[in-house]
Amino acid sequence: MRMNGGQALIKSLELEGTEIIFGYPGGAILPVYDPIIDSGIRHILARHEQGAGHMAEGYAHATGRPGVFMVTSGPAATNAVTPLADAYLDSVPMVCITGQVGLAAIGTDAFQEVDTTGITRSITKHNILVTRAEDIPRALKEAFYIATTGRPGPVLVDIPKNIVDATNPDAYFEFEYPDSVDLPGYKPDVPVDEAAVAAAITLMLAAERPVLYVGGGVLKSRGADILRTLAEIVQMPVVTTLMARGAFPDSHELNLGMPGMHGNYTAISALQKADLLVAMGSRFDDRVTGKVGAFAPDAKIIHVDIDPAEHGKVRRPDVPIVGDCRVVMENMVIQLNAVGGADAFGDRSAWRQQLSGWQEKFPLTYEPSAPGELLKPQFVMEKLRDGCPSDTIVASGVGREGESPSQYWKFDHPYTWINSGGLGTMGFSIPAAIGAKAAFPDRMVWAVDGDGCFQMTAQELVTASVNKIPVKIALLNNAYLGMVRQWQEMFYENRYSEVYLSHDMPDYVKWAESMGCAAFRVEDSDEVEAVIAKANAINDRPVVVEFRCHSEEKVFPMVAAGASNDDVIVDPSQAALLQSERLHQAGSQKETLR
Amino acid sequence: MTRPGDLAHHTLAVLVENRAGVLARVADLFARRGYNIVSLAVAPTSDERFSRITIVVDVESSPLEQIVKQLFKLINVVEIVELAPSESVERELIIATVSAPKSIRSQVVELVNIFEGKILAVSSEQMTVSLDGSPRKIDDFEALMVDYGIVEVQRSGRIALPKIGQIAPRLSAVEA
């Protein structure tokens, strides 16, 4: 069928199964927006290109399918940079279409011209500048293939205006969609090295203090079910990183929760004291390892990752296994069953007892608010968790409010947790929640945001209202950039530099109402539960609940940047107990040395 | 200071798809990950779909294994071969303008002849000479020319082929 480049682009998206384009039109991309009118694809008009990008990410996190976003050239492309970098660091499958000035104008510093492929080269898995209309189908085929195979990631396709222009005779060609790609340098399918799996099993059988260190790769491979089977056979305690919350049920007795800078004491210490780590789709991120040289000093490492460059990038594995986590775990289960399954494993009760002892001594804790005091964010999260269905999707902001939900939510379903773990993008949660809700209109979707984050992308609530995407926002307003304030308190001698935002300016309730949302303000602990119930009963528009929170509340536990995980700082109420525990441990180590 | 001919360096012949921006992708990768390029040479191959980039890398800045694995992550990188100096023939080209007034001109000419180089241009005070050869030979030649006063010098990137009968190891992201 003969068509122009713009029509071909939309047709290609249709053939790739695109349901929703999140986007924002403009000069250079105009010719591609025209055929959208005739397409069955839903377009959601964001209020800022960054918002469109995070929406596409939220959609991809929740569905596992590639998020698609489309913007024009120049400033729109630079606004797309943040979500692209975010998706790159968190391995989110995305296809971004950017308009570009016509080929003849490229390189002339034309109006709204930037070197989009140059700018995004190091923050995309791949990018393509298409120069001929007839190359558009191939470019789109490659983009979707590269974005979704191997280690997923964002792919950008830059489209000069003249090749999609309906008035340009050279933009017309006979449309044919390729059924395969020709990429001689890209071979994402790696067969599982069964000998390496066998070597891994030998280490697992010998380990006395093993931990399954589960990362986002397990969710990317849609491997949550087989992970549970594997963990139950090998009876290994599991930690789930910030990117992997929900990959293993929090309610499962083997789950120790989240390790890392703001993980819980037991999960952090389990990694430190382990004699074997089975790293499954995790990348030894600095927020998990703390000081690398002091991380898990006694542990042998089995590292399963689809990206071979992760093996040895931070920590050299004893057994590296390249492959999709789900496929590798399936192979592990087959081989484990062949050697006797769960019965093959010896008694690890001493290790389990040590872990449950820590869990008892050092649970997550906080001081409840005194009467008349503002709310504690932890308390709000507990009430929100208890007031929502267990399959609620939660998108989080970054900083103080990024940590609360990952600590206090109870994740019992995979693909319900959406966050910006790698890039740490403030303002991520509202648009990401909108993307997830657009994908699953019947599911409850909450974004948990701080006041700093909220002010970065709140305008997307207009998008949500206009497009009838009733997300709910828990705005934990503590009048500060809470996490920065915490660092200034702990590491800069209480010198608070440029972190005060104010509880009252802006008036969040009025602002939310002006954007078409229902809005509530809560200051009293006694009201929290009732307002959450009220918010959950509203389904015809977005809801913003402003929880007035205590400004000085900090996030514990905490491993200071660059410090060893051994020096984790716990809640002040547990500090004395931890001190005596450390003295006791040092004493028993001396005993052993003698 | 390490010299381009330093044996501690590694030479990678990277076969890439002939697509727009591919050299920038490779160069960006080195810059972004903090790897040092000692020299770089790019040319088409006999198959017009591909070009070969010969990169001499400084492995003291980061381990070769990571460099190779990161290169393989570039979609347009097809094949990487390591050309070990002992199993390869390597060539570089140097062009140098040296100070060569009448009084010492014959000494410069003599040196150029010993190295089997060429004299490209002569003026009353200066002389432009060229030499192709192994990186070591070029290093030695350049060092000797310094004594006469180098006005300007330009060296090419290194190119290399496996010695006849040798098969250079094809690297893999998985086993590297």
Side-chain angles (χ1 to χ4, degrees):
Chain A
M1 198 180 151
R2 199 164 169 77
M3 57 178 82
N4 67 48
Q7 294 166 322
L9 199 152
I10 297 301
K11 182 78 187 163
S12 302
L13 292 177
E14 287 171 358
L15 290 170
E16 288 292 342
T18 305
E19 299 171 319
I20 305 176
I21 301 170
F22 301 92
Y24 203 111
I29 198 72
L30 266 170
V32 184
Y33 266 80
D34 186 72
I36 288 178
I37 293 174
D38 307 316
S39 170
I41 300 178
R42 180 181 184 194
H43 181 279
I44 292 177
L45 174 63
R47 264 35 180 186
H48 188 291
E49 290 90 352
Q50 183 191 354
H54 293 320
M55 287 175 203
E57 286 189 270
Y59 174 92
H61 270 287
T63 63
R65 296 194 296 274
V68 176
F69 80 117
M70 181 153 79
V71 301
T72 191
S73 64
T78 55
N79 283 341
V81 162
T82 299
L84 286 168
D86 196 278
Y88 185 62
L89 280 169
D90 286 345
S91 307
V92 181
M94 284 227 291
V95 172
C96 173
I97 313 286
T98 46
Q100 182 55 279
V101 300
L103 275 174
I106 287 182
T108 65
D109 303 317
F111 178 65
Q112 293 193 333
E113 185 201 357
V114 293
D115 174 14
T116 304
T117 50
I119 289 169
T120 59
R121 199 172 283 135
S122 67
I123 50 163
T124 52
K125 185 173 174 188
H126 191 56
N127 62 25
I128 305 164
L129 170 64
V130 187
T131 54
R132 302 187 310 170
E134 56 268 40
D135 290 340
I136 288 174
R138 181 181 59 79
L140 268 288
K141 179 80 189 175
E142 287 177 2
F144 277 88
Y145 181 71
I146 293 167
T148 55
T149 52
R151 180 178 185 168
V155 179
L156 179 140
V157 185
D158 201 25
I159 305 281
K161 187 172 187 176
N162 62 302
I163 69 166
V164 284
D165 179 4
T167 65
N168 172 14
D170 292 338
Y172 285 81
F173 65 101
E174 199 60 39
F175 181 86
E176 199 180 327
Y177 203 63
D179 48 20
S180 63
V181 293
D182 177 24
L183 295 166
Y186 182 63
K187 296 179 191 71
D189 294 323
V190 185
V192 177
D193 180 348
E194 298 201 5
V197 172
I201 288 173
T202 305
L203 287 184
M204 290 185 200
L205 287 167
E208 290 173 359
R209 301 185 309 280
V211 176
L212 246 165
Y213 157 33
V214 172
V218 169
L219 292 174
K220 293 298 169 343
S221 75
R222 302 264 130 182
D225 290 342
I226 191 75
L227 170 67
R228 185 173 178 156
T229 307
L230 174 71
E232 286 174 354
I233 292 174
V234 298
Q235 282 295 307
M236 271 186 204
V238 175
V239 299
T240 48
T241 68
L242 184 63
M243 291 310 298
R245 304 292 287 131
F248 193 70
D250 277 347
S251 58
H252 198 289
E253 56 163 5
L254 285 170
N255 200 340
L256 306 179
M258 185 175 77
M261 181 177 272
H262 293 292
N264 71 71
Y265 179 84
T266 306
I268 294 168
S269 303
L271 290 175
Q272 287 306 96
K273 304 294 182 210
D275 66 351
L276 176 69
L277 298 186
V278 183
M280 192 64 71
S282 48
R283 59 182 177 91
F284 297 82
D285 177 76
D286 52 292
R287 286 227 156 185
V288 168
T289 61
K291 188 179 170 190
V292 174
F295 175 67
D298 304 326
K300 286 202 158 68
I301 309 284
I302 297 165
H303 192 178
V304 180
D305 204 295
I306 198 159
D307 178 359
E310 290 301 338
H311 293 141
K313 187 182 83 180
V314 176
R315 174 80 176 251
R316 172 126 336 254
D318 297 275
V319 179
I321 302 175
V322 178
D324 178 88
C325 287
R326 181 171 50 78
V327 177
V328 173
M329 286 191 285
E330 283 165 358
N331 190 281
M332 273 182 178
V333 167
I334 291 169
Q335 292 202 38
L336 279 162
N337 284 335
V339 296
D343 296 338
F345 288 88
D347 177 34
R348 292 189 190 128
S349 53
W351 178 228
R352 296 284 294 281
Q353 272 165 21
Q354 188 171 13
L355 296 172
S356 54
W358 287 335
Q359 285 177 314
E360 236 163 75
K361 282 185 199 160
F362 304 108
L364 285 174
T365 186
Y366 64 94
E367 181 100 8
S369 340
E373 239 186 353
L374 286 174
L375 303 168
K376 291 296 177 85
Q378 302 93 329
F379 174 79
V380 174
M381 285 320 303
E382 287 175 333
K383 291 294 171 197
L384 188 60
R385 173 194 71 201
D386 297 341
C388 291
S390 73
D391 69 344
T392 298
I393 295 172
V394 185
S396 86
V398 168
R400 181 51 284 222
E401 277 58 48
E403 305 299 342
S404 276
S406 57
Q407 288 185 333
Y408 282 89
W409 200 265
K410 204 167 193 95
F411 293 97
D412 278 333
H413 300 275
Y415 326 118
T416 57
W417 168 241
I418 298 173
N419 90 110
S420 164
L423 193 65
T425 308
M426 287 178 68
F428 174 81
S429 77
I430 292 175
I434 292 169
K437 182 73 176 173
F440 293 113
D442 299 332
R443 298 267 293 276
M444 186 174 283
V445 180
W446 274 91
V448 180
D449 234 1
D451 41 334
C453 287
F454 187 89
Q455 291 190 52
M456 287 202 176
T457 51
Q459 80 284 348
E460 298 306 342
L461 288 170
V462 178
T463 310
S465 292
V466 169
N467 290 280
K468 305 271 178 248
I469 305 170
V471 291
K472 303 180 200 304
I473 316 298
L475 165 58
L476 305 178
N477 176 8
N478 64 356
Y480 274 92
L481 297 174
M483 186 57 81
V484 185
R485 186 189 186 285
Q486 173 169 345
W487 283 53
Q488 290 179 344
E489 179 181 330
M490 295 174 68
F491 311 119
Y492 291 84
E493 298 164 340
N494 302 308
R495 287 160 59 86
Y496 299 113
S497 177
E498 301 298 325
V499 285
Y500 177 65
L501 296 178
S502 151
H503 270 118
D504 306 300
M505 178 74 177
D507 182 326
Y508 292 101
V509 168
K510 279 189 186 160
W511 188 10
E513 283 172 349
S514 77
M515 292 188 287
C517 306
F520 307 99
R521 177 175 294 136
V522 189
E523 298 185 51
D524 193 325
S525 298
D526 297 338
E527 298 166 16
V528 170
E529 220 172 288
V531 174
I532 288 169
K534 220 192 287 180
N536 280 349
I538 295 172
N539 280 316
D540 60 342
R541 65 215 139 117
V543 186
V544 173
V545 186
E546 179 199 356
F547 296 97
R548 286 277 173 109
C549 289
H550 202 285
S551 295
E552 286 162 29
E553 190 60 21
K554 292 186 285 296
V555 186
F556 290 114
M558 177 180 191
V559 179
S564 161
N565 281 344
D566 288 332
D567 300 326
V568 54
I569 304 162
V570 292
D571 187 83
S573 67
Q574 298 169 338
L577 184 61
L578 180 60
Q579 187 64 21
S580 72
E581 173 93 3
R582 279 178 178 151
L583 284 172
H584 176 73
Q585 278 180 16
S588 62
Q589 262 168 15
K590 265 185 206 152
E591 288 293 322
T592 324
L593 286 175
R594 259 178 231 156
Chain B
M1 188 189 135
T2 60
R3 306 291 307 163
D6 196 330
L7 289 175
H9 298 141
H10 285 251
T11 305
L12 300 177
V14 181
L15 189 71
V16 296
E17 275 187 277
N18 238 340
R19 296 217 194 178
V22 65
L23 176 62
R25 286 180 204 284
V26 171
D28 261 12
L29 170 68
F30 275 74
R32 136 111 174 81
R33 302 250 174 212
Y35 309 151
N36 287 339
I37 298 179
V38 178
S39 92
L40 185 76
V42 194
T45 64
S46 50
D47 183 337
E48 64 177 19
R49 290 174 303 161
F50 305 112
S51 286
R52 182 167 281 110
I53 304 178
T54 307
I55 313 171
V56 180
V57 295
D58 170 13
V59 289
E60 274 167 19
S61 68
S62 46
L64 185 68
E65 175 190 322
Q66 257 304 304
I67 297 174
V68 169
K69 284 176 167 181
Q70 293 293 345
L71 277 171
F72 270 119
K73 286 177 73 167
L74 298 178
I75 305 294
N76 301 136
V77 167
V78 178
E79 186 184 289
I80 305 174
V81 169
E82 184 177 3
L83 296 162
S86 59
E87 284 150 27
S88 316
V89 285
E90 302 178 297
R91 283 293 176 271
E92 279 179 25
L93 174 69
I94 186 171
I95 305 178
T97 296
V98 292
S99 172
K102 262 185 216 150
S103 59
I104 58 162
R105 187 179 291 159
S106 61
Q107 293 176 36
V108 175
V109 170
E110 192 182 352
L111 266 177
V112 170
N113 286 337
I114 290 170
F115 277 86
E116 298 176 308
K118 288 196 179 75
I119 292 160
L120 304 182
V122 185
S123 74
S124 58
E125 295 298 320
Q126 296 177 341
M127 187 181 273
T128 299
V129 301
S130 79
L131 173 70
D132 68 279
S134 70
R136 265 298 168 86
K137 185 174 167 184
I138 304 279
D139 282 355
D140 293 345
F141 180 70
E142 191 179 347
L144 287 166
M145 285 298 138
V146 166
D147 291 345
Y148 296 96
I150 291 180
V151 180
E152 266 192 282
V153 65
Q154 180 66 57
R155 283 175 73 149
S156 70
R158 185 181 311 176
I159 54 173
L161 282 179
K163 283 181 181 165
I164 293 173
Q166 296 277 4
I167 296 167
R170 268 167 69 162
L171 303 180
S172 145
V174 178
E175 293 150 1

